[in-house]
Amino acid sequence: MEATTLFLDPTLASRIQFALTAIVHIIFPVISMGLAPFLVYFTWKEIRTDQGIYVQLRKFWLKIFAVTFVVGTVTGLVLEFEFGTNFAAFSTASGEILGGPLAVEGMMAFFLEATFLGIFVFGRERVSDAVYFLSAVLVALGSWLSAVWILIANSWMQNPRGYEIVTRNGADVVQLVDPVAAYWNPRFHWMFVHMQNSAVLSVSLLMLGISAYHVRKGDAGEFWRKSFKIALVVLAVTAPFQALHGDAYARHIYETQPQKFAAMEAVWETDTYVPEYIVAFPTDLNDLLDPRAKQIFGFGIPGGASWLAGYDPQTTIKGLNEFEGSPPVAIVFWSFRLMVAMGFWFIVLGFWGLYRWWTGELFRDRLYHQSLMLSGAMGILAVELGWIVTEVGRQPWTITGVMKTADAVTPSLSSGEATLTLLGFVLAYTAILAVYLYVVRRIVAAGPPDVESKEGEGS
Amino acid sequence: MNLETPLWGLPLPEIWFTAVFFVLAMFLFLDGFDFGVGAIYATRKNEEEKETLLAAIGPFWDGNEVWLVVFGGSLFAVFPGAYAGILSRNYLLVFGVLAALILRGLAPEFREQRSDPVWRNLWDKVFVTGSAGTPFLLGAFLANWVLPQPDFLAGTLTGLTLLLLTVVEGAAFLTIKTRDDLQREMLGYMRRAAPAYAAVFLVLIIYLSLTTDAGVVGVGGLAATGTILLLSLTVYAAAGRPHPYAAFVSSAAMTFTFVGVFAYLMYPHIDPAAGLLVRDAAVSTLPLNLMTIASAFLLPVVLLYFAVLYSVFSGPAGQGY
């Protein structure tokens, strides 16, 4: 390679580009998957009770859902083709196992979601109540099914099973041997529950943040109070569940991806009675990527990490030094801690709200409202951090133990092309995110639609 | 059931080769008319007409675009080497198509959020650029896929052909979705676009037959060319009558024939530039069987969703939705 070049190495550029695409894209499915069950509930109540408040709730949140869905579609479409453009070696090698779930995701989930969304958004006056409610359910089902198939694919990359390596057209590729082992992966259940619950949790925080903002502004009619209370109930259920489930999930990581677990805890030497560090600082800045190397200060729970791994402080944790290659430990270590800390904060928010509701001060506790406004986007942030732990934590592998990320990139890709598209992505995705936020802010500021007027049902 | 041998002894790689192009044709027809509507949108000056055009595709375009997702997914699942080869060799072109699709998808959604002319003008431009850019760049991509070496002129001609085809589809769709003066204008577009499409397609075919040995002058090539010309004539005639539904169906048949020509020129290769044969590129029998079973169950259900959607929003737009 030349000593000085304006262009990035194609491998690095492709990785940054894919990470950027995924990080921006995931925001939108999280919101649509989390919002979908709320919309089913609002539609159900609208039809059963015939109360204006539920018409308003459905219309308002459906407006946000529709914008979110479109942005999610266009940003996600890119991901499917990026496997081929930037990771041709990976696609060639893994298509036999990973292509199937992606194709079925399109056929089973996206078609369902996209066609019935047409009816859900534009068809209130054109179909019966029953068909309308069915459309709401099918949109929700479609969005959740897409998570099923994408996580089946992802869980195979984390924990590959049911395959063997063969040579085809001169390249080593995976061959599907046992579909049940490959696609009914124990990792899948952990990921799916963790992901879907976090999506609902994130949306409840979003609703609480927005509702609290309107309550604080003083324009809180029944609409925002109702949104507030419904979201609070959901938060109070999903937040503690996420913590309990996440704790058990960590044990599954310890068993199936010990290298990732070691990175999450920054454990270098194999040991028992490993403490759970809450914070750890290195002695000098060169060690920043290695939070526990020669630490000057660390605060931890004795035996905590071992306990997390096996319900027993004597559990042995295999250190990073025993593995070939290592993920960027600091990113995984801190993302994990930050995610967990946020998780506990969400539990606090849930119980705080329930307590205020019980004392009758739910709409008067200004500190609580302020906290909710600050935490509105935090659920989505926690999801991002969780995915960073998952995806950065499995490095240097793209398919654990089978294919390294460095070997996955398109061999013929030039640095010029890769840098150019990366630049395009940074600009385009920043712009998309900015316009999306602007548009959603406008919808939120405008508040709920007037139920008296019958127009405004479509465009 | 024995999943280690091909289901009922069927030639699954060939069936999937056909299926992949079928899905592509579904995309180029269904989302194709959305692109055509977007291109025709450039000619609309008054707000009411613009909104009618947007309302016409509003409930449909998202579902239509999923055919592209399924096209990519099935190519990846059944011919992973070809999927990787074609996409990575046309790196910038693929991102061009994706960028155009992003613009097309976002524009109508963002446009309706504010009513001031500056905002709406901006998204109008974005919408037209994305709508016209997608079929043009996709056409260039198709040419690069079928030819052993990229050929700029063939790419441009194919892009232009596909763009005109989507205009025919879009005009045919809009004659169903509009009334009165607007409808008469759309019939006029259809009447002009159909012969223009036939002419450019003919030039493309002649160019390909002179510059490549891709078998254009064989029986199949001539038959396909004849069919396309005949269908163009049908659309032209249907525009004069007027028979909007007949024109719409003809434009669908035109799309399938157009895609058929490319599949025909390619076969038995799936990636001619890499010399990759359909037989060699396909995954092993077990996943092929699984994909076949899954699709045999899902595809009829998907067609049912579309039947429901299109019947809920049948007839002229702008009134009820």
Side-chain angles (χ1 to χ4, degrees):
Chain A
M1 223 187 351
E2 292 168 54
T4 53
T5 168
L6 276 173
F7 299 125
L8 293 172
D9 162 54
T11 303
L12 181 65
S14 295
R15 292 179 66 174
I16 298 175
Q17 180 174 309
F18 196 87
L20 181 72
T21 321
I23 283 173
V24 174
H25 169 66
I26 192 69
I27 295 171
F28 309 105
V30 165
I31 296 176
S32 46
M33 289 188 304
L35 204 47
F38 285 96
L39 284 169
V40 169
Y41 174 74
F42 296 151
T43 309
W44 172 254
K45 293 292 277 188
E46 171 184 336
I47 289 167
R48 295 303 298 223
T49 66
D50 214 27
Q51 285 176 20
I53 179 83
Y54 290 107
V55 181
Q56 283 184 307
L57 282 167
R58 193 257 306 160
K59 279 189 178 181
F60 178 82
W61 293 106
L62 181 55
K63 215 168 174 181
I64 292 184
F65 184 92
V67 176
T68 307
F69 179 82
V70 167
V71 182
T73 306
V74 299
T75 54
L77 187 66
V78 174
L79 281 173
E80 189 190 23
F81 291 95
E82 264 179 332
F83 293 128
T85 51
N86 293 71
F87 298 94
F90 162 77
S91 313
T92 307
S94 67
E96 173 152 342
I97 287 185
L98 294 180
L102 294 189
V104 173
E105 179 188 26
M107 287 190 275
M108 191 187 271
F110 291 149
F111 271 132
L112 186 66
E113 192 179 9
T115 52
F116 285 95
L117 186 65
I119 298 178
F120 195 33
V121 172
F122 297 101
R124 184 70 182 101
E125 309 300 324
R126 291 202 163 219
V127 297
S128 66
D129 283 355
V131 172
Y132 192 70
F133 177 68
L134 183 68
S135 303
V137 172
L138 293 178
V139 167
L141 183 69
S143 73
W144 281 50
L145 278 174
S146 73
V148 169
W149 290 101
I150 204 73
L151 290 176
I152 283 177
N154 191 285
S155 60
W156 187 83
M157 292 165 72
Q158 307 287 342
N159 182 29
R161 299 158 14 122
Y163 70 95
E164 63 188 33
I165 306 282
V166 297
T167 305
R168 193 179 297 155
N169 303 323
D172 281 349
V173 303
V174 296
Q175 180 161 3
L176 181 64
V177 180
D178 181 352
V180 178
Y183 298 137
W184 196 245
N185 198 312
R187 168 62 59 88
F188 163 71
H189 315 98
W190 290 109
M191 291 186 113
F192 183 71
V193 175
H194 203 64
M195 179 69 200
Q196 299 315 96
N197 192 62
S198 75
V200 178
L201 167 59
S202 300
V203 167
S204 73
L205 282 163
L206 210 56
M207 287 174 98
L208 279 165
I210 294 171
S211 306
Y213 162 78
H214 281 277
V215 168
R216 243 178 88 87
K217 248 180 52 184
D219 59 351
E222 199 198 347
F223 181 84
W224 293 115
R225 289 167 183 246
K226 193 92 182 174
S227 289
F228 199 123
K229 284 181 176 171
I230 292 171
L232 177 57
V233 172
V234 174
L235 175 70
V237 175
T238 51
F241 177 76
Q242 190 72 356
L244 292 171
H245 180 267
D247 172 61
Y249 181 12
R251 213 148 289 127
H252 173 76
I253 304 281
Y254 165 76
E255 283 158 16
T256 52
Q257 284 178 305
Q259 186 176 12
K260 183 189 282 180
F261 190 84
M264 282 155 66
E265 299 298 343
V267 178
W268 292 87
E269 297 299 334
T270 300
D271 206 351
T272 61
Y273 207 71
V274 180
E276 174 69 33
Y277 277 91
I278 310 289
V279 287
F281 295 101
T283 44
D284 67 88
L285 292 178
N286 293 331
D287 288 334
L288 264 183
L289 288 180
D290 175 4
R292 290 193 48 224
K294 293 174 268 168
Q295 72 209 34
I296 44 168
F297 174 73
F299 171 71
I301 303 161
S306 285
W307 177 268
L308 193 64
Y311 285 127
D312 178 356
Q314 296 306 321
T315 309
T316 306
I317 295 178
K318 203 168 155 189
L320 285 163
N321 289 338
E322 292 196 33
F323 298 95
E324 173 196 351
S326 164
V329 177
I331 298 177
V332 183
F333 180 85
W334 287 115
S335 298
F336 181 60
R337 265 144 199 78
L338 215 53
M339 175 191 74
V340 171
M342 285 180 182
F344 282 114
W345 170 238
F346 302 155
I347 298 175
V348 170
L349 285 177
F351 287 119
W352 184 356
L354 288 186
Y355 173 71
R356 282 300 177 209
W357 195 343
W358 183 61
T359 60
E361 293 166 303
L362 187 57
F363 300 116
R364 286 202 294 272
D365 186 342
R366 294 177 70 81
L367 182 63
Y368 182 53
H369 299 159
Q370 227 158 6
S371 308
L372 287 176
M373 282 161 61
L374 287 173
S375 312
M378 222 182 255
I380 293 164
L381 196 60
V383 172
E384 299 278 12
L385 292 168
W387 274 109
I388 288 169
V389 173
T390 306
E391 303 299 36
V392 177
R394 83 163 116 105
Q395 303 302 326
W397 301 99
T398 188
I399 305 169
T400 307
V402 176
M403 186 180 224
K404 292 216 166 114
T405 311
D407 304 324
V409 175
T410 305
S412 63
L413 186 60
S414 73
S415 356
E417 283 179 325
T419 310
L420 186 66
T421 56
L422 174 60
L423 198 67
F425 264 95
V426 172
L427 295 175
Y429 274 45
T430 310
I432 291 172
L433 207 55
V435 179
Y436 173 78
L437 288 174
Y438 170 76
V439 162
V440 169
R441 236 200 57 174
R442 274 182 66 92
I443 297 175
V444 168
D450 194 358
V451 271
E452 257 65 65
S453 72
K454 277 288 175 194
E455 52 96 49
E457 191 61 47
S459 58
Chain B
M1 198 189 295
N2 180 8
L3 289 172
E4 301 298 329
T5 59
L7 285 176
W8 305 293
L10 289 168
L12 291 178
E14 284 77 10
I15 289 175
W16 272 99
F17 177 77
T18 315
V20 163
F21 282 97
F22 169 79
V23 172
L24 180 63
M26 285 299 277
F27 169 69
L28 289 178
F29 170 56
L30 291 174
D31 216 9
F33 71 65
D34 300 327
F35 300 140
V37 170
I40 292 170
Y41 187 87
T43 66
R44 298 300 98 189
K45 297 283 172 267
N46 95 39
E47 182 63 22
E48 200 188 331
E49 289 184 349
K50 286 181 182 177
E51 292 204 343
T52 305
L53 260 57
L54 290 178
I57 59 168
F60 304 120
W61 74 266
D62 227 322
N64 295 344
E65 194 178 275
V66 177
W67 288 98
L68 181 66
V69 178
V70 174
F71 163 73
S74 47
L75 194 64
F76 185 19
V78 179
F79 306 107
Y83 162 88
I86 298 154
L87 291 178
S88 60
R89 255 182 285 115
N90 293 289
Y91 189 81
L92 292 179
L93 202 47
V94 171
F95 281 107
V97 172
L98 294 170
L101 276 168
I102 290 176
L103 297 180
R104 187 286 301 255
L106 294 179
E109 198 60 42
F110 288 162
R111 181 187 193 275
E112 68 164 39
Q113 307 295 337
R114 276 179 64 169
S115 52
D116 60 288
V118 178
W119 176 263
R120 295 212 151 176
N121 261 328
L122 168 74
W123 292 111
D124 283 350
K125 290 202 179 75
V126 170
F127 180 55
V128 172
T129 310
S131 298
T134 308
F136 182 77
L137 295 172
L138 260 176
F141 171 77
L142 260 182
N144 279 5
W145 182 359
V146 74
L147 295 173
Q149 287 106 27
D151 181 314
F152 183 75
L153 195 55
T156 311
L157 278 172
T158 315
L160 205 57
T161 315
L162 201 53
L163 177 58
L164 282 168
L165 177 59
T166 61
V167 173
V168 176
E169 295 165 342
F173 178 70
L174 285 173
T175 56
I176 298 170
K177 291 287 166 188
T178 55
R179 298 170 200 270
D180 309 325
D181 285 351
L182 189 55
Q183 187 186 38
R184 270 189 289 281
E185 274 193 75
M186 294 306 131
L187 285 167
Y189 285 142
M190 200 160 83
R191 211 171 160 84
R192 272 176 280 165
Y197 164 76
V200 179
F201 180 77
L202 207 59
V203 173
L204 171 69
I205 287 293
I206 292 168
Y207 178 76
L208 286 180
S209 66
L210 293 176
T211 53
T212 67
D213 49 356
V216 188
V217 278
V219 181
L222 290 174
T225 310
T227 313
I228 294 230
L229 297 179
L230 204 64
L231 288 165
S232 306
L233 201 64
T234 317
V235 173
Y236 181 76
R241 292 286 167 168
H243 288 306
Y245 281 95
F248 190 57
V249 173
S250 296
S251 76
M254 272 160 78
T255 315
F256 278 84
T257 320
F258 178 81
V259 173
V261 170
F262 279 84
Y264 171 80
L265 291 179
M266 208 178 286
Y267 191 78
H269 291 96
I270 185 148
D271 185 358
L276 196 55
L277 293 166
V278 171
R279 282 266 141 184
D280 298 333
V283 293
S284 49
T285 308
L286 174 63
L288 265 182
N289 284 338
L290 293 175
M291 274 294 286
T292 309
I293 295 169
S295 311
F297 278 105
L298 290 170
L299 212 55
V301 183
V302 168
L303 294 174
L304 183 72
Y305 301 159
F306 277 81
V308 170
L309 180 68
Y310 280 80
S311 64
V312 166
F313 299 100
S314 61
Q319 314 297 323
Y321 68 94

